[in-house]
Amino acid sequence: MMTTANLTHLTDEALIKLCQRYKAIVLHKNDSILRVACHEVESDTEALKRALEFACALKIEIEFWAAERFTQAIERSTACQQEVALEDPAAIASILATSSNELEDDSEAPVVNFLNQVLRTAILRRASDIHFEPSENALRIRLRIDGVLQEIPGPEASMNASLCARIKIMGQLNVAERRLPQDGQLMVTLQNQRFSLRISSLPTLYGEKIVLRVLKITQQDLGLDQLGFTPRDLCHYINALKCPQGLILVTGPTGSGKTVTLYGGLRHLNAVQRNICSVEDPVEIPVTGINQTQINTKTDLSFATVLRALLRQDPDVIMVGEIRDQETAEIAIKAAQTGHLVLSTLHTNSTCETLNRLGQMGIEGYHIAASLKLVIAQRLVRKLCPHCRKPHASFVDQGEKGRPGPMPLWIAGGCERCYQGYYGRTGIYEILTITPALQQALVNGASVAELNKIARSQGHKTLMEAGMLLVQQGTTSLEELYRVSGEGETA
């Protein structure tokens, strides 16, 4: 058995690994004191302190850092460790030993190390996508962080082909096929958390462009109160979820957070008494207690095919990943009229446009009126970093009549804790509850303008108005709101 005296001689490498296990980093160490930093929310500080006291027999001092500062510190620490590994032949041999059998040549080791470093950087920066884009003499790498692409240093030009091959090997794609698009998937683990990376390759002028979509495998327990709803909007959503039958639609462009909003609703409904089923392409967020089915176009397992099967599975709640065609829309509408609560998404810009789009798909107005309960249009806006945002007075159009007036604004600054003055995102929502007046208008085949007029008379607020509220609160900037909504430009 190892004694405390022996543990005082713990190597620096072992000490770093021990801190990583408890999500902490070493700041300073001498003969009497060990100072570490951690994020108070994510770290078990009591367990960390006990483990370090036992391992080192030193006085432990713990600093609590903001999430963004802690993430960037880990990122810098990882980069330094990666540089050492690239120079260490033993480390290279170790990595090759655990790599695919396709890579046996020592000359491939820098490729393995570089790709590992890119994946670590992307995950630590909370990137949703990683783009590998070949040009004539270089490979550009960009990460989509909080909805915006940001470039990071690329590899040497000689690595381009090997890097592409390495990604395809890890995703079990055909390395020899360079003329057709391919899709695959791979799993990685970082800091005891598993991530799924969806791979998409596409032939371009100078080689294959590869995009990796980063998905966290562990269950993301985002409650409805964490999504950015106002109390009034949250009340409307919860009331719709209480309906025993009907259709709830969440709309917006790709990457606007529709799936997270849907799953927030499903988790709210998730109970032993309910049979909840979903059909998705693909299943992005695994949730215990929900029966999730992924469509497969290669075997003709489409949304419509799975939906028909689900209706014979005695469901209480059905989630359809996306209504893409008339057939899927008709089945979802019929399910919502026959005792099922159906949640789905649609690609439209506003709530009233959604009502018109269903009509364009061939759904009769009286079917829409009888089944639809709630429509949510949403976008995601980046949040200003609270540490470096700057006040800025300006005259902007505000209020229902668009009158110009003074309004307190904040603009992005930029510091070591954030990315270009922003850190994280929140949602802005446009909620439309289907009232008897709207139902009658749908039966009568009203236009989008007429539907908008009725909604406004009921107190309906647009996405722009919801976003302006966040601008006034200093949560986001006017520039960011215009970027996301596309409704104007800053003066």
Side-chain angles (χ1 to χ4, degrees):
M1 181 180 293
M2 188 175 290
T3 65
T4 304
N6 291 331
L7 287 170
T8 57
H9 299 291
L10 199 68
T11 65
D12 289 344
E13 182 181 357
L15 185 60
I16 290 172
K17 289 183 178 180
L18 179 61
C19 286
Q20 287 176 345
R21 187 185 308 166
Y22 290 94
K23 297 183 179 179
I25 56 176
V26 178
L27 299 179
H28 175 72
K29 177 176 176 268
N30 58 28
D31 294 336
S32 58
I33 295 175
L34 172 64
R35 186 180 299 114
V36 299
C38 67
H39 181 217
E40 188 172 14
V41 176
E42 297 182 356
S43 304
D44 186 346
T45 53
E46 289 300 321
L48 169 65
K49 191 171 184 178
R50 287 196 302 269
L52 291 176
E53 286 175 343
F54 178 76
C56 302
L58 299 174
K59 180 181 177 182
I60 308 300
E61 294 182 356
I62 300 178
E63 293 184 12
F64 297 110
W65 286 4
E68 54 270 27
R69 182 184 180 191
F70 184 72
T71 299
Q72 293 197 9
I74 290 179
E75 186 180 317
R76 288 193 296 269
S77 175
T78 303
C80 291
Q81 293 173 25
Q82 191 68 23
E83 289 174 5
V84 173
L86 283 169
E87 298 173 358
D88 184 357
I92 292 174
S94 175
I95 292 173
L96 283 174
T98 58
S99 300
S100 168
N101 292 330
E102 301 282 344
L103 298 176
E104 296 177 353
D105 186 359
D106 283 353
S107 64
E108 297 289 345
V111 174
V112 176
N113 281 277
F114 180 81
L115 181 58
N116 289 345
Q117 182 179 356
V118 171
L119 296 181
R120 286 191 187 97
T121 300
I123 291 172
L124 289 172
R125 291 190 183 184
R126 305 168 295 106
S128 61
D129 300 87
I130 310 170
H131 293 245
F132 297 87
E133 304 168 322
S135 60
E136 186 173 7
N137 298 312
L139 181 70
R140 180 169 68 171
I141 300 179
R142 294 190 290 176
L143 309 179
R144 188 174 295 280
I145 302 172
D146 293 334
V148 178
L149 285 172
Q150 299 183 16
E151 189 171 358
I152 63 173
E156 298 176 1
S158 59
M159 280 192 189
N160 291 3
S162 300
L163 191 62
C164 178
R166 172 64 183 168
I167 295 172
K168 295 172 74 173
I169 288 169
M170 293 174 70
Q172 298 182 344
L173 304 183
N174 184 355
V175 181
E177 179 58 74
R178 298 184 179 90
R179 299 169 299 174
L180 297 174
Q182 296 187 71
D183 295 306
Q185 193 169 18
L186 65 95
M187 302 288 181
V188 298
T189 302
L190 180 67
Q191 296 178 353
N192 299 322
Q193 293 182 327
R194 295 180 65 215
F195 296 86
S196 170
L197 304 181
R198 288 212 319 263
I199 305 173
S200 173
S201 71
L202 180 70
T204 63
L205 182 61
Y206 296 108
E208 290 180 277
K209 178 181 187 289
I210 294 181
V211 176
L212 306 181
R213 167 62 59 88
V214 183
L215 303 170
K216 195 172 182 179
I217 293 297
T218 53
Q219 187 165 318
Q220 301 176 38
D221 295 320
L222 284 179
L224 291 177
D225 56 345
Q226 298 176 278
L227 301 182
F229 284 105
T230 64
R232 176 177 175 272
D233 291 344
L234 182 59
C235 183
H236 284 305
Y237 191 17
I238 291 177
N239 286 339
L241 292 171
K242 290 179 180 178
C243 296
Q245 66 182 42
L247 176 63
I248 298 174
L249 287 177
V250 182
T251 72
T254 301
S256 59
K258 300 186 299 294
T259 302
V260 175
T261 299
L262 280 184
Y263 270 102
L266 291 182
R267 288 199 183 94
H268 182 78
L269 296 169
N270 197 1
V272 176
Q273 297 82 10
R274 293 191 183 92
N275 176 21
I276 303 177
C277 302
S278 77
V279 48
E280 306 169 62
D281 180 28
V283 175
E284 294 191 6
I285 306 176
V287 180
T288 303
I290 298 178
N291 306 290
Q292 299 169 276
T293 303
Q294 180 167 315
I295 73 167
N296 188 341
T297 54
K298 294 180 181 178
T299 58
D300 294 327
L301 193 65
S302 63
F303 277 109
T305 303
V306 177
L307 263 178
R308 290 194 190 93
L310 286 184
L311 292 176
R312 298 189 292 271
Q313 291 279 317
D314 185 32
D316 297 300
V317 180
I318 299 173
M319 195 272 267
V320 184
E322 182 184 347
I323 294 179
R324 296 178 176 174
D325 50 45
Q326 181 179 352
E327 186 179 16
T328 304
E330 288 176 346
I331 298 173
I333 291 286
K334 289 177 182 177
Q337 291 177 314
T338 55
H340 308 92
L341 181 62
V342 181
L343 291 80
S344 188
T345 69
L346 203 62
H347 287 288
T348 55
N349 293 324
S350 68
T351 53
C352 290
E353 285 181 29
T354 302
L355 306 180
N356 191 49
R357 178 66 56 82
L358 289 172
Q360 292 171 347
M361 283 184 167
I363 308 300
E364 296 292 342
Y366 62 88
H367 281 312
I368 302 173
S371 58
L372 195 59
K373 300 296 182 183
L374 184 76
V375 183
I376 303 174
Q378 69 177 78
R379 301 289 189 275
L380 290 177
V381 293
R382 291 181 295 171
K383 295 191 293 185
L384 286 168
C385 173
H387 303 283
C388 63
R389 64 180 185 175
K390 302 174 182 177
H392 176 70
S394 178
F395 281 80
V396 298
D397 290 341
Q398 59 175 327
E400 293 185 1
K401 297 183 180 180
R403 293 175 179 172
M407 179 178 175
L409 299 179
W410 294 83
I411 59 176
C415 65
E416 64 174 8
R417 296 181 173 93
C418 64
Y419 303 103
Q420 300 175 353
Y422 298 92
Y423 189 89
R425 289 190 291 179
T426 189
I428 54 174
Y429 302 91
E430 177 183 322
I431 306 288
L432 181 64
T433 302
I434 307 302
T435 61
L438 283 170
Q439 288 177 328
Q440 187 60 51
L442 288 168
V443 171
N444 296 335
S447 65
V448 174
E450 293 171 330
L451 293 170
N452 267 318
K453 185 177 180 180
I454 296 172
R456 296 294 289 178
S457 69
Q458 299 173 167
H460 173 70
K461 294 189 180 297
T462 66
L463 275 169
M464 194 65 182
E465 290 170 339
M468 289 300 287
L469 182 61
L470 293 184
V471 171
Q472 292 178 25
Q473 295 171 350
T475 303
T476 190
S477 66
L478 188 62
E479 179 184 16
E480 173 66 7
L481 177 60
Y482 283 150
R483 182 189 71 83
V484 170
S485 67
E487 292 192 20
E489 296 182 357
T490 54

